[in-house]
Amino acid sequence: MPDLETVRREIERMRIQMGRQRKEILQLQRAGLGTASAEALLSRMDAKVEGLCAQRDALKAAQPRATRGRVLGGRTW
């Protein structure tokens, strides 16, 4: 199972890709071309990101309490 940072990086990468995909869809729409397949790809990417977010939340909840919410060298609140 990937660690929390790996999942966070993957979410960030996928969100950047989704932004690029949205821009491409807008360009295709302006050109008057069909965008059904591009929109289907975007919806699959969105579902993947939602799954990664759920995985991230589960990993975050599974972390020991001592390592969550601490400032470097600071107190636990």
Side-chain angles (χ1 to χ4, degrees):
M1 183 172 213
D3 65 336
L4 185 59
E5 285 306 311
T6 304
V7 173
R8 284 180 174 163
R9 282 193 300 271
E10 182 67 13
I11 290 170
E12 183 179 354
R13 188 187 68 77
M14 291 286 291
R15 285 182 175 163
I16 291 168
Q17 279 186 329
M18 288 173 62
R20 289 181 186 143
Q21 186 72 19
R22 283 188 185 100
K23 288 178 187 176
E24 286 183 26
I25 289 172
L26 287 174
Q27 288 176 345
L28 290 171
Q29 287 173 342
R30 286 185 194 123
L33 300 173
T35 59
S37 61
E39 288 173 357
L41 173 63
L42 186 61
S43 67
R44 288 193 305 269
M45 291 170 76
D46 190 37
K48 173 79 173 174
V49 168
E50 286 180 19
L52 286 170
C53 287
Q55 186 179 4
R56 176 201 60 200
D57 294 342
L59 287 170
K60 206 168 157 184
Q63 278 187 339
R65 194 72 177 149
T67 60
R68 286 192 331 188
R70 277 192 87 182
V71 179
L72 287 176
R75 302 181 233 179
T76 54
W77 295 97

